[in-house]
Amino acid sequence: MDVPSDWEDWWDELRFVTLDEAKAMECNRCGECCSSLRAPGGGMWSWGASPKGRHYGLITLLDERTLEPRDWQLGDDHARAHNAYDCTALEVLADGTTNCAIYLKARQPARCLQFPVYYDGIEDELAAGPILLRTEPLNSCTWYLMIVVEDASPLLDWRRRDQRLPWARLSAKRRAEAYDVIREAERLRESIQPIPRVY
């Protein structure tokens, strides 16, 4: 099969959803988006726009190599900075789930409530093409390995109940169409690159 090379290990796990379906899902409180320390392999590296003094003292920036706390550096305040981080408001419960100690309180950063499908401009982004959510490092996330497509996408008619495609049963033509959607979503996402941290 002509599987998109970047997805050969997990292409069959991708889920295809509408924006309304994605927004209707409930967070399972895994906490992986709240701390690079909880994400498998320390895989979530995306807290940018952190002003000097760290976002109200909540966000502890971590050294990318050691995952130890580090001082604020020039560039961390850029919206697309690419940093490891740990939120001090994250409470880990005995069952492994988490709570936010400041959920819906004034101190909670707005971006926390926007991840991963509630941010301003997502409708315009979807109008430009399919959205590959930035959740692939978050194995436990409700929105793990998900592509948001427009309501009229034929992929929605081909999927199983689990929102995945039955790749083995799809015709070669339909597989090729699905691969095109994956490649386009990946291309669009990569066109907005995070800014790497400067050492």
Side-chain angles (χ1 to χ4, degrees), residues 32-49:
E32 291 179 1
C33 65
C34 302
S35 173
S36 297
L37 301 174
R38 284 187 68 83
M44 192 64 177
W45 309 91
S46 62
W47 197 283

Side-chain angles (χ1 to χ4, degrees), residues 5-98:
S5 60
D6 292 345
W7 293 96
E8 57 193 343
D9 293 334
W10 47 349
W11 59 277
D12 56 343
E13 294 299 314
L14 283 170
R15 292 179 290 158
F16 298 86
V17 298
T18 66
L19 184 55
D20 286 343
E21 288 173 335
K23 286 183 173 184
M25 295 178 183
E26 194 169 311
C27 173
N28 63 14
R29 299 181 7 227
C30 70
E32 291 179 1
C33 65
C34 302
S35 173
S36 297
L37 301 174
R38 284 187 68 83
M44 192 64 177
W45 309 91
S46 62
W47 197 283
S50 184
K52 193 164 189 173
R54 302 188 184 123
H55 202 292
Y56 306 107
L58 291 171
I59 303 302
T60 300
L61 295 171
L62 306 176
D63 182 276
E64 186 173 324
R65 295 161 293 191
T66 65
L67 294 183
E68 294 295 322
R70 68 168 175 83
D71 291 331
W72 185 91
Q73 296 176 355
L74 188 63
D76 289 339
D77 54 348
H78 194 285
R80 286 178 23 223
H82 197 57
N83 298 320
Y85 63 93
D86 186 41
C87 180
T88 59
L90 183 68
E91 300 175 330
V92 182
L93 306 179
D95 65 359
T97 61
T98 62

Side-chain angles (χ1 to χ4, degrees), residues 4 7 10-17 132-133 136 144-147 159-160 162-167 178-179 181-183:
W7 293 96
W10 47 349
W11 59 277
D12 56 343
E13 294 299 314
L14 283 170
R15 292 179 290 158
F16 298 86
V17 298
L132 175 59
L133 298 181
E136 72 271 11
Y144 177 64
L145 291 183
M146 193 170 282
I147 294 180
R159 61 188 180 162
R160 302 180 310 223
D162 64 2
Q163 300 166 327
R164 293 174 176 86
L165 293 177
W167 294 98
Y179 295 155
V181 169
I182 295 169
R183 287 187 187 103

